[in-house]
PDB file of all heavy atoms in Angstrom:
ATOM      1  N   GLY L  11       0.275   0.733  -4.366  1.00  0.00           N
ATOM      2  CA  GLY L  11      -0.683   0.511  -5.449  1.00  0.00           C
ATOM      3  C   GLY L  11      -1.956   1.281  -5.153  1.00  0.00           C
ATOM      4  O   GLY L  11      -2.129   1.807  -4.051  1.00  0.00           O
ATOM      5  N   PHE L  12      -2.819   1.314  -6.136  1.00  0.00           N
ATOM      6  CA  PHE L  12      -4.023   2.147  -6.030  1.00  0.00           C
ATOM      7  C   PHE L  12      -4.999   1.596  -4.990  1.00  0.00           C
ATOM      8  O   PHE L  12      -4.956   0.411  -4.632  1.00  0.00           O
ATOM      9  CB  PHE L  12      -4.714   2.236  -7.395  1.00  0.00           C
ATOM     10  CG  PHE L  12      -5.670   3.396  -7.503  1.00  0.00           C
ATOM     11  CD1 PHE L  12      -5.204   4.701  -7.473  1.00  0.00           C
ATOM     12  CD2 PHE L  12      -7.036   3.194  -7.622  1.00  0.00           C
ATOM     13  CE1 PHE L  12      -6.080   5.780  -7.563  1.00  0.00           C
ATOM     14  CE2 PHE L  12      -7.926   4.258  -7.722  1.00  0.00           C
ATOM     15  CZ  PHE L  12      -7.438   5.557  -7.686  1.00  0.00           C
ATOM     16  N   MET L  13      -5.884   2.476  -4.520  1.00  0.00           N
ATOM     17  CA  MET L  13      -6.946   2.065  -3.590  1.00  0.00           C
ATOM     18  C   MET L  13      -7.697   0.867  -4.182  1.00  0.00           C
ATOM     19  O   MET L  13      -7.962   0.831  -5.379  1.00  0.00           O
ATOM     20  CB  MET L  13      -7.961   3.215  -3.417  1.00  0.00           C
ATOM     21  CG  MET L  13      -7.428   4.413  -2.694  1.00  0.00           C
ATOM     22  SD  MET L  13      -8.652   5.776  -2.692  1.00  0.00           S
ATOM     23  CE  MET L  13      -8.057   6.778  -4.047  1.00  0.00           C
ATOM     24  N   GLY L  14      -8.017  -0.063  -3.332  1.00  0.00           N
ATOM     25  CA  GLY L  14      -8.836  -1.193  -3.768  1.00  0.00           C
ATOM     26  C   GLY L  14      -8.071  -2.315  -4.446  1.00  0.00           C
ATOM     27  O   GLY L  14      -8.653  -3.327  -4.822  1.00  0.00           O
ATOM     28  N   LYS L  17      -3.787  -4.206  -1.153  1.00  0.00           N
ATOM     29  CA  LYS L  17      -2.480  -4.127  -0.466  1.00  0.00           C
ATOM     30  C   LYS L  17      -2.525  -4.719   0.948  1.00  0.00           C
ATOM     31  O   LYS L  17      -1.675  -5.517   1.324  1.00  0.00           O
ATOM     32  CB  LYS L  17      -2.022  -2.652  -0.355  1.00  0.00           C
ATOM     33  CG  LYS L  17      -1.874  -1.955  -1.693  1.00  0.00           C
ATOM     34  CD  LYS L  17      -1.541  -0.478  -1.529  1.00  0.00           C
ATOM     35  CE  LYS L  17      -2.607   0.400  -0.954  1.00  0.00           C
ATOM     36  NZ  LYS L  17      -3.775   0.652  -1.797  1.00  0.00           N
ATOM     37  N   ASP L  36      -2.228   2.819   7.130  1.00  0.00           N
ATOM     38  CA  ASP L  36      -3.520   3.453   7.460  1.00  0.00           C
ATOM     39  C   ASP L  36      -4.032   3.016   8.834  1.00  0.00           C
ATOM     40  O   ASP L  36      -4.547   3.838   9.590  1.00  0.00           O
ATOM     41  CB  ASP L  36      -4.579   3.130   6.392  1.00  0.00           C
ATOM     42  CG  ASP L  36      -4.462   4.034   5.171  1.00  0.00           C
ATOM     43  OD1 ASP L  36      -3.660   4.981   5.209  1.00  0.00           O
ATOM     44  OD2 ASP L  36      -5.176   3.788   4.180  1.00  0.00           O
ATOM     45  N   ILE L  47      -9.628   7.383   8.671  1.00  0.00           N
ATOM     46  CA  ILE L  47      -8.906   8.181   7.664  1.00  0.00           C
ATOM     47  C   ILE L  47      -9.875   9.202   7.060  1.00  0.00           C
ATOM     48  O   ILE L  47      -9.525  10.365   6.867  1.00  0.00           O
ATOM     49  CB  ILE L  47      -8.336   7.266   6.542  1.00  0.00           C
ATOM     50  CG1 ILE L  47      -7.385   6.202   7.125  1.00  0.00           C
ATOM     51  CG2 ILE L  47      -7.679   8.094   5.442  1.00  0.00           C
ATOM     52  CD1 ILE L  47      -6.085   6.695   7.654  1.00  0.00           C
ATOM     53  N   ILE L  51      -9.392  13.308   6.962  1.00  0.00           N
ATOM     54  CA  ILE L  51      -9.385  14.092   5.712  1.00  0.00           C
ATOM     55  C   ILE L  51     -10.526  15.115   5.720  1.00  0.00           C
ATOM     56  O   ILE L  51     -10.334  16.275   5.348  1.00  0.00           O
ATOM     57  CB  ILE L  51      -9.442  13.165   4.473  1.00  0.00           C
ATOM     58  CG1 ILE L  51      -8.184  12.286   4.414  1.00  0.00           C
ATOM     59  CG2 ILE L  51      -9.602  13.977   3.182  1.00  0.00           C
ATOM     60  CD1 ILE L  51      -8.148  11.267   3.290  1.00  0.00           C
ATOM     61  N   PHE L  59      -3.670  15.477   6.406  1.00  0.00           N
ATOM     62  CA  PHE L  59      -3.615  14.015   6.404  1.00  0.00           C
ATOM     63  C   PHE L  59      -2.250  13.550   5.899  1.00  0.00           C
ATOM     64  O   PHE L  59      -1.626  12.650   6.477  1.00  0.00           O
ATOM     65  CB  PHE L  59      -4.743  13.406   5.547  1.00  0.00           C
ATOM     66  CG  PHE L  59      -4.543  11.930   5.307  1.00  0.00           C
ATOM     67  CD1 PHE L  59      -4.698  11.010   6.349  1.00  0.00           C
ATOM     68  CD2 PHE L  59      -4.151  11.448   4.060  1.00  0.00           C
ATOM     69  CE1 PHE L  59      -4.473   9.643   6.150  1.00  0.00           C
ATOM     70  CE2 PHE L  59      -3.915  10.093   3.854  1.00  0.00           C
ATOM     71  CZ  PHE L  59      -4.086   9.200   4.901  1.00  0.00           C
ATOM     72  N   ARG L  60      -1.763  14.179   4.838  1.00  0.00           N
ATOM     73  CA  ARG L  60      -0.459  13.769   4.276  1.00  0.00           C
ATOM     74  C   ARG L  60       0.667  13.997   5.292  1.00  0.00           C
ATOM     75  O   ARG L  60       1.615  13.222   5.359  1.00  0.00           O
ATOM     76  CB  ARG L  60      -0.158  14.512   2.970  1.00  0.00           C
ATOM     77  CG  ARG L  60      -1.080  14.173   1.813  1.00  0.00           C
ATOM     78  CD  ARG L  60      -0.924  12.741   1.329  1.00  0.00           C
ATOM     79  NE  ARG L  60      -1.877  12.430   0.264  1.00  0.00           N
ATOM     80  CZ  ARG L  60      -2.441  11.241   0.091  1.00  0.00           C
ATOM     81  NH1 ARG L  60      -2.150  10.229   0.877  1.00  0.00           N
ATOM     82  NH2 ARG L  60      -3.284  11.038  -0.891  1.00  0.00           N
ATOM     83  N   GLU L  63       0.423  11.252   7.720  1.00  0.00           N
ATOM     84  CA  GLU L  63       0.842  10.021   7.037  1.00  0.00           C
ATOM     85  C   GLU L  63       2.374   9.917   7.000  1.00  0.00           C
ATOM     86  O   GLU L  63       2.948   8.871   7.327  1.00  0.00           O
ATOM     87  CB  GLU L  63       0.245  10.038   5.621  1.00  0.00           C
ATOM     88  CG  GLU L  63       0.516   8.803   4.791  1.00  0.00           C
ATOM     89  CD  GLU L  63      -0.162   8.897   3.422  1.00  0.00           C
ATOM     90  OE1 GLU L  63       0.071   9.878   2.680  1.00  0.00           O
ATOM     91  OE2 GLU L  63      -0.922   7.997   3.070  1.00  0.00           O
ATOM     92  N   LEU L  80       1.183   0.300   2.388  1.00  0.00           N
ATOM     93  CA  LEU L  80       0.931   1.750   2.401  1.00  0.00           C
ATOM     94  C   LEU L  80      -0.525   2.024   2.043  1.00  0.00           C
ATOM     95  O   LEU L  80      -1.188   1.177   1.456  1.00  0.00           O
ATOM     96  CB  LEU L  80       1.799   2.448   1.342  1.00  0.00           C
ATOM     97  CG  LEU L  80       3.312   2.372   1.460  1.00  0.00           C
ATOM     98  CD1 LEU L  80       3.937   3.154   0.301  1.00  0.00           C
ATOM     99  CD2 LEU L  80       3.797   2.934   2.791  1.00  0.00           C
ATOM    100  N   GLY L  81      -1.001   3.243   2.348  1.00  0.00           N
ATOM    101  CA  GLY L  81      -2.246   3.723   1.757  1.00  0.00           C
ATOM    102  C   GLY L  81      -1.901   4.123   0.321  1.00  0.00           C
ATOM    103  O   GLY L  81      -0.737   4.410   0.014  1.00  0.00           O
ATOM    104  N   GLY L  82      -2.914   4.149  -0.538  1.00  0.00           N
ATOM    105  CA  GLY L  82      -2.660   4.352  -1.968  1.00  0.00           C
ATOM    106  C   GLY L  82      -1.956   5.637  -2.366  1.00  0.00           C
ATOM    107  O   GLY L  82      -1.367   5.716  -3.442  1.00  0.00           O
ATOM    108  N   GLY L  83      -1.996   6.657  -1.494  1.00  0.00           N
ATOM    109  CA  GLY L  83      -1.379   7.923  -1.890  1.00  0.00           C
ATOM    110  C   GLY L  83       0.023   8.105  -1.331  1.00  0.00           C
ATOM    111  O   GLY L  83       0.769   8.994  -1.777  1.00  0.00           O
ATOM    112  N   ARG L 120     -15.865   0.866   3.532  1.00  0.00           N
ATOM    113  CA  ARG L 120     -14.974   1.945   3.948  1.00  0.00           C
ATOM    114  C   ARG L 120     -15.157   3.183   3.075  1.00  0.00           C
ATOM    115  O   ARG L 120     -15.175   3.072   1.848  1.00  0.00           O
ATOM    116  CB  ARG L 120     -13.530   1.443   3.811  1.00  0.00           C
ATOM    117  CG  ARG L 120     -12.700   1.751   5.006  1.00  0.00           C
ATOM    118  CD  ARG L 120     -11.359   1.097   4.844  1.00  0.00           C
ATOM    119  NE  ARG L 120     -10.431   1.995   4.187  1.00  0.00           N
ATOM    120  CZ  ARG L 120      -9.375   1.565   3.521  1.00  0.00           C
ATOM    121  NH1 ARG L 120      -9.122   0.295   3.386  1.00  0.00           N
ATOM    122  NH2 ARG L 120      -8.558   2.439   2.982  1.00  0.00           N
ATOM    123  N   ARG L 122     -13.858   6.213   1.173  1.00  0.00           N
ATOM    124  CA  ARG L 122     -12.583   6.692   0.642  1.00  0.00           C
ATOM    125  C   ARG L 122     -12.815   8.080   0.051  1.00  0.00           C
ATOM    126  O   ARG L 122     -13.290   8.214  -1.088  1.00  0.00           O
ATOM    127  CB  ARG L 122     -12.038   5.722  -0.397  1.00  0.00           C
ATOM    128  CG  ARG L 122     -11.490   4.421   0.209  1.00  0.00           C
ATOM    129  CD  ARG L 122     -11.044   3.507  -0.897  1.00  0.00           C
ATOM    130  NE  ARG L 122     -10.171   2.442  -0.480  1.00  0.00           N
ATOM    131  CZ  ARG L 122     -10.579   1.182  -0.289  1.00  0.00           C
ATOM    132  NH1 ARG L 122     -11.843   0.860  -0.419  1.00  0.00           N
ATOM    133  NH2 ARG L 122      -9.695   0.255   0.040  1.00  0.00           N
ATOM    134  N   PRO L 123     -12.469   9.121   0.818  1.00  0.00           N
ATOM    135  CA  PRO L 123     -12.802  10.485   0.378  1.00  0.00           C
ATOM    136  C   PRO L 123     -12.208  10.858  -0.979  1.00  0.00           C
ATOM    137  O   PRO L 123     -12.747  11.736  -1.657  1.00  0.00           O
ATOM    138  CB  PRO L 123     -12.193  11.375   1.473  1.00  0.00           C
ATOM    139  CG  PRO L 123     -11.974  10.473   2.632  1.00  0.00           C
ATOM    140  CD  PRO L 123     -11.771   9.109   2.103  1.00  0.00           C
ATOM    141  N   LEU L 124     -11.121  10.206  -1.395  1.00  0.00           N
ATOM    142  CA  LEU L 124     -10.521  10.577  -2.682  1.00  0.00           C
ATOM    143  C   LEU L 124     -11.081   9.754  -3.833  1.00  0.00           C
ATOM    144  O   LEU L 124     -10.637   9.895  -4.968  1.00  0.00           O
ATOM    145  CB  LEU L 124      -9.001  10.435  -2.624  1.00  0.00           C
ATOM    146  CG  LEU L 124      -8.285  11.275  -1.563  1.00  0.00           C
ATOM    147  CD1 LEU L 124      -6.786  11.205  -1.733  1.00  0.00           C
ATOM    148  CD2 LEU L 124      -8.727  12.738  -1.614  1.00  0.00           C
ATOM    149  N   ARG L 138      -1.535   8.707 -11.327  1.00  0.00           N
ATOM    150  CA  ARG L 138      -0.559   8.069 -10.442  1.00  0.00           C
ATOM    151  C   ARG L 138       0.273   6.948 -11.067  1.00  0.00           C
ATOM    152  O   ARG L 138       1.258   6.522 -10.457  1.00  0.00           O
ATOM    153  CB  ARG L 138      -1.289   7.502  -9.221  1.00  0.00           C
ATOM    154  CG  ARG L 138      -1.721   8.590  -8.269  1.00  0.00           C
ATOM    155  CD  ARG L 138      -2.414   7.983  -7.109  1.00  0.00           C
ATOM    156  NE  ARG L 138      -2.727   8.964  -6.089  1.00  0.00           N
ATOM    157  CZ  ARG L 138      -3.426   8.680  -5.003  1.00  0.00           C
ATOM    158  NH1 ARG L 138      -3.869   7.447  -4.807  1.00  0.00           N
ATOM    159  NH2 ARG L 138      -3.652   9.614  -4.108  1.00  0.00           N
TER     160      ARG L 138
HETATM  161  C1  S3P E   1      -5.585   7.200  -0.223  1.00  0.00           C
HETATM  162  C2  S3P E   1      -5.755   5.854  -0.033  1.00  0.00           C
HETATM  163  C3  S3P E   1      -6.342   5.290   1.173  1.00  0.00           C
HETATM  164  C4  S3P E   1      -6.097   6.214   2.368  1.00  0.00           C
HETATM  165  C5  S3P E   1      -6.558   7.612   2.050  1.00  0.00           C
HETATM  166  C6  S3P E   1      -5.882   8.210   0.841  1.00  0.00           C
HETATM  167  C7  S3P E   1      -5.046   7.678  -1.508  1.00  0.00           C
HETATM  168  O1  S3P E   1      -5.780   4.006   1.452  1.00  0.00           O
HETATM  169  O2  S3P E   1      -4.749   6.241   2.726  1.00  0.00           O
HETATM  170  O3  S3P E   1      -7.955   7.563   1.865  1.00  0.00           O
HETATM  171  O4  S3P E   1      -4.631   8.851  -1.594  1.00  0.00           O
HETATM  172  O5  S3P E   1      -5.007   6.868  -2.473  1.00  0.00           O
HETATM  173  P1  S3P E   1      -6.144   2.668   0.587  1.00  0.00           P
HETATM  174  O6  S3P E   1      -5.230   2.635  -0.597  1.00  0.00           O
HETATM  175  O7  S3P E   1      -5.872   1.563   1.539  1.00  0.00           O
HETATM  176  O8  S3P E   1      -7.566   2.777   0.214  1.00  0.00           O
END
Side-chain angles (χ1 to χ4, degrees):
F12 199 66
M13 292 174 262
K17 301 175 292 290
D36 278 353
I47 302 290
I51 297 176
F59 169 70
R60 294 293 177 214
E63 183 178 55
L80 298 181
R120 226 174 91 204
R122 287 177 163 101
L124 301 188
R138 286 180 174 175

